[in-house]
Amino acid sequence: MKKTALSLAVASSLFSLGAAAEATGVNTQVDDVIVVTASRTTQEKFDVLASVDVFDRADIERIQPESVADLLSRVAGISTTVSGGRANQTSLFVRGGNSDHLLILVNGVRVGSATLGTKDLSAIALNLIDRVEIVKGPRAALWGADAIGGVIQIFTRQLGHGEAQIGATLGHDNFQQAYATVGLGNESHNYTLTVSSERANGFDVQPGSETDADGYNHRGISLAGGSKLSETYQLNISGQFETGNTQFDSSFGGNESDHNNHSLLFNNQFSLENGQLDINYANSRDNGETFGNNATPTLFETKREQINALTQLAVSQDTELLLGVDFLSERVNSTTEFQESTRETYAAFATGRHQLGKVKLEASVRHDEIVDIDSETTFNLSAGYQLSQQWLVALNHGTAFKAPSFNELYFPLQFGFIGNPNLVSEHARNTELLTRYNSQNYSVEVTLYNTDFTNLIGSGSTADGTSTTVNINEVEIQGIELTAEAQLFGADHRLTLSHVDAQDQSNQQQLTNRPYFTANYAINFSFDRLNLGADIQHKGGNASGFFRTDLSAYTLFNLTASYQVNDDLRVNAKVSNLGDKNYQSNANFNSDGRGFRLGVDYRF
């Protein structure tokens, strides 16, 4: 689908808080892909001195994942756990870090719960997504708190004006999904509106409880685009709203939850003689209310306001400078009365990039002042050497931190637990070596890394024996990742392998939910109008949950097919968990058995 010039400009413009580039086909060379999350400026993927993965709309339509977590489970170094089905609580563990050591952005806007410190990706509908960028390794020197294991940025749909697409899918467990997206405006004003609805009866997500189907219904809407108001000024706007209900099993508290989330961004972009200035305002809300099961309803709501200014300057043909300031205000509203419910963060950062022949150099430094907690200074140093047009080797060293969540700091005395306002931030120091090869038909990326964590927050007790949180844990993580893509024997192949050794230094035990080994292999055949695909997902055995329940390794097989009836109409089909494997990704929670889906997409 061809995009207009303005839609492409909008898609590549929001570099200060994130931007999308033009969607690329599955056979595009790696160095043709443009990414922004790694450096907050546009770069060709091959030139980025960090491990980066990108899934565009074409990838999503080909893979037909069932959720954002299902899509991300195909990335080397990412382990996922799901407390039941597609709509239940999902956690990501990147390079052995905790689930809250990951920064999630939607169109450049920080999202997630300030009480839990994580974002539940199950609430985001895949039909709203145009592109996902995954940057692994510390990026706190650019993005601030939480960017320890990496940064995941989701961009919503972008079409040219006059373009549109609709679709519907049916599947097992009475799965029903429908969406519509349309490009609005003209050559000067281009916006994309997308709406999505999804529901399913679900399955019994927790063994041992009363057998029942735990279903869900989710709805979402997004608007993204921009207006070119003069030769030097463009206003870009993006907004997203999600609402829905999810059922689950619980013998303690409610057994249903409602969510109402939104994010909104206004990007003012000014063209300068030798660069660009962006001034941004954003706000977001993550709202979750649990009820039912004869329990008292509980509400946890996070509201954020963000103001950002960023200047990108081309000092010379080989040197670029990035200067920025960030302001973040967080407020918690809850039926639980926290000791403190607001905090603010002020930050300034600078990044310099320089190319000296075949040598690529990059340095970033950032200072964060977190009111009532602490100040943090982080840095990242990178050096790369391009051996040839196909080979790049890079060495990275950086630091990162994660500020304690409101629950960890200020939770009032309830259920024998109380927060600890004396906590300090968790810290990480990372060193990694990356090797990247890219040619017309092959690409390979191998990364070795070592991360040391200090002041990790764990369980402790007060003088009177009440459970609380304390900075006690030290962890060392070593790992290796491989991602390889190839066009061989008339098919596209993708292989990812990862080994993670995440040792708690106090007891020399592997951290929970971190399998030593994971692997994914996908193959895709194209025959004129017919596309056939298969993928194998393997997750090694690991300990899970508070009691370190041993979970067995498992391997899942999935099949996909799509047929292009004509230039506008496509039929899609998928069989997931072909072998009907009985497995658990999270202790004490069931996973779905064999499933199927059949859908149609129409473009006009």
Side-chain angles (χ1 to χ4, degrees):
M1 185 177 293
K2 186 177 180 180
K3 300 182 180 179
T4 65
L6 179 59
S7 69
L8 293 179
V10 170
S12 61
S13 63
L14 305 180
F15 67 82
S16 62
L17 283 175
E22 183 177 10
T24 57
V26 296
N27 295 328
T28 303
Q29 294 186 51
V30 173
D31 59 358
D32 287 336
V33 178
I34 302 298
V35 297
V36 296
T37 310
S39 61
R40 297 181 74 154
T41 62
T42 56
Q43 284 184 282
E44 290 186 350
K45 181 176 179 289
F46 181 81
D47 293 328
V48 175
L49 304 180
S51 183
V52 180
D53 279 274
V54 178
F55 293 104
D56 60 27
R57 189 64 209 172
D59 296 325
I60 295 171
E61 292 177 352
R62 174 175 51 82
I63 297 170
Q64 300 183 47
E66 298 185 7
S67 64
V68 176
D70 185 21
L71 179 69
L72 295 174
S73 68
R74 291 163 168 80
V75 177
I78 294 184
S79 174
T80 63
T81 64
V82 183
S83 300
R86 169 258 182 273
N88 296 108
Q89 177 68 40
T90 300
S91 298
L92 301 181
F93 301 87
V94 180
R95 288 189 170 179
N98 292 336
S99 59
D100 56 2
H101 292 161
L102 178 66
L103 176 62
I104 305 294
L105 306 169
V106 176
N107 292 329
V109 182
R110 180 184 289 259
V111 294
S113 168
T115 53
L116 293 175
T118 59
K119 169 64 178 177
D120 184 9
L121 293 174
S122 66
I124 301 178
L126 282 163
N127 285 324
L128 301 181
I129 298 175
D130 192 71
R131 178 182 179 88
V132 181
E133 292 184 4
I134 306 101
V135 182
K136 290 173 288 185
R139 276 295 179 266
L142 278 166
W143 293 102
D146 307 338
I148 294 180
V151 181
I152 293 176
Q153 182 154 206
I154 296 170
F155 303 99
T156 53
R157 299 290 291 269
Q158 271 282 296
L159 301 181
H161 64 84
E163 299 174 341
Q165 183 175 343
I166 59 174
T169 302
L170 299 177
H172 67 292
D173 296 331
N174 197 27
F175 175 83
Q176 302 171 35
Q177 182 189 77
Y179 77 95
T181 181
V182 59
L184 307 170
N186 53 39
E187 290 297 327
S188 299
H189 309 277
N190 196 97
Y191 295 86
T192 300
L193 177 67
T194 306
V195 294
S196 176
S197 178
E198 181 178 323
R199 69 173 305 279
N201 288 349
F203 60 95
D204 188 26
V205 302
Q206 195 163 19
S209 60
E210 181 180 353
T211 302
D212 64 340
D214 298 300
Y216 69 91
N217 64 80
H218 288 178
R219 297 168 300 281
I221 183 171
S222 70
L223 177 69
S227 296
K228 189 172 179 60
L229 301 178
S230 73
E231 290 300 315
T232 59
Y233 173 64
Q234 181 165 310
L235 173 64
N236 302 303
I237 300 173
S238 67
Q240 182 183 16
F241 176 75
E242 309 150 356
T243 184
N245 171 269
T246 302
Q247 299 172 347
F248 55 93
D249 292 327
S250 175
S251 57
F252 176 78
N255 60 1
E256 288 188 57
S257 64
D258 286 341
H259 69 267
N260 292 281
N261 307 332
H262 83 254
S263 62
L264 180 64
L265 168 69
F266 295 92
N267 165 250
N268 299 277
Q269 184 183 98
F270 302 89
S271 298
L272 306 177
E273 183 176 353
N274 296 315
Q276 185 170 293
L277 170 65
D278 284 59
I279 300 175
N280 309 281
Y281 170 78
N283 68 60
S284 64
R285 178 186 68 185
D286 280 78
N287 174 302
E289 183 176 15
T290 301
F291 58 94
N293 205 25
N294 297 317
T296 302
T298 59
L299 170 70
F300 290 92
E301 179 182 68
T302 298
K303 292 184 178 180
R304 289 188 174 94
E305 285 190 298
Q306 305 169 54
I307 300 173
N308 166 275
L310 184 65
T311 301
Q312 181 185 10
L313 298 173
V315 179
S316 68
Q317 184 177 354
D318 300 319
T319 305
E320 183 179 69
L321 184 63
L322 189 71
L323 303 173
V325 292
D326 285 335
F327 167 76
L328 172 64
S329 174
E330 298 174 291
R331 184 168 71 254
V332 170
N333 177 37
S334 175
T335 50
T336 299
E337 189 173 347
F338 284 77
Q339 301 171 34
E340 297 284 345
S341 59
T342 63
R343 75 177 173 201
E344 297 176 341
T345 301
Y346 303 84
F349 60 93
T351 295
R353 292 209 301 262
H354 179 71
Q355 182 151 344
L356 186 64
K358 295 184 177 182
V359 177
K360 304 174 186 292
L361 302 173
E362 183 175 311
S364 300
V365 63
R366 176 180 171 117
H367 184 75
D368 288 80
E369 288 284 347
I370 308 173
V371 176
D372 294 331
I373 299 180
D374 207 346
S375 63
E376 300 289 344
T377 300
T378 51
F379 69 87
N380 195 84
L381 302 174
S382 302
Y385 184 77
Q386 189 164 344
L387 289 80
S388 67
Q389 291 295 319
Q390 289 79 36
W391 285 97
L392 175 70
V393 178
L395 181 65
N396 295 282
H397 182 70
T399 59
F401 75 100
K402 186 234 174 254
S405 69
F406 277 78
N407 278 358
E408 292 165 337
L409 287 166
Y410 305 125
F411 197 84
L413 180 60
Q414 289 186 19
F415 318 117
F417 173 84
I418 190 171
N420 180 2
N422 297 315
L423 291 174
V424 298
S425 295
E426 299 175 317
H427 297 98
R429 184 176 294 270
N430 177 80
T431 302
E432 64 184 73
L433 176 65
L434 176 149
T435 302
R436 181 180 292 144
Y437 172 80
N438 179 69
S439 68
Q440 181 69 33
N441 297 316
Y442 305 93
S443 68
V444 179
E445 181 174 293
V446 179
T447 306
L448 293 87
Y449 61 89
N450 179 279
T451 308
D452 292 315
F453 290 88
T454 56
N455 293 328
L456 284 186
I457 296 172
S459 299
S461 59
T462 63
D464 62 3
T466 303
S467 295
T468 187
T469 48
V470 290
N471 292 103
I472 55 172
N473 293 336
E474 294 187 5
V475 171
E476 181 178 6
I477 299 176
Q478 296 178 335
I480 181 170
E481 303 164 351
L482 178 144
T483 301
E485 297 178 338
Q487 297 174 19
L488 288 171
F489 312 115
D492 294 326
H493 306 257
R494 175 181 167 90
L495 173 68
T496 65
L497 304 172
S498 62
H499 170 76
V500 176
D501 185 8
Q503 296 287 333
D504 185 334
Q505 297 302 291
S506 65
N507 55 26
Q508 301 303 307
Q509 288 184 320
Q510 179 86 343
L511 299 181
T512 58
N513 298 313
R514 278 76 154 185
Y516 283 103
F517 178 72
T518 57
N520 294 270
Y521 171 70
I523 184 170
N524 192 75
F525 295 91
S526 294
F527 308 96
D528 191 20
R529 293 181 177 273
L530 178 65
N531 187 283
L532 299 175
D535 69 76
I536 304 170
Q537 299 176 283
H538 175 81
K539 183 177 182 180
N542 63 100
S544 179
F546 181 80
F547 296 105
R548 297 187 60 86
T549 302
D550 288 329
L551 300 184
S552 300
Y554 61 86
T555 303
L556 304 179
F557 297 86
N558 307 299
L559 299 176
T560 59
S562 64
Y563 183 74
Q564 197 73 39
V565 179
N566 54 43
D567 290 343
D568 301 317
L569 179 64
R570 186 181 70 246
V571 179
N572 308 300
K574 179 176 183 178
V575 179
S576 56
N577 192 4
L578 179 66
D580 200 23
K581 179 73 173 179
N582 183 18
Y583 69 99
Q584 289 184 323
S585 70
N586 197 7
N588 303 317
F589 289 95
N590 295 323
S591 294
D592 209 355
R594 183 188 298 114
F596 68 90
R597 293 187 179 186
L598 180 65
V600 294
D601 290 286
Y602 184 76
R603 304 185 182 194
F604 51 93

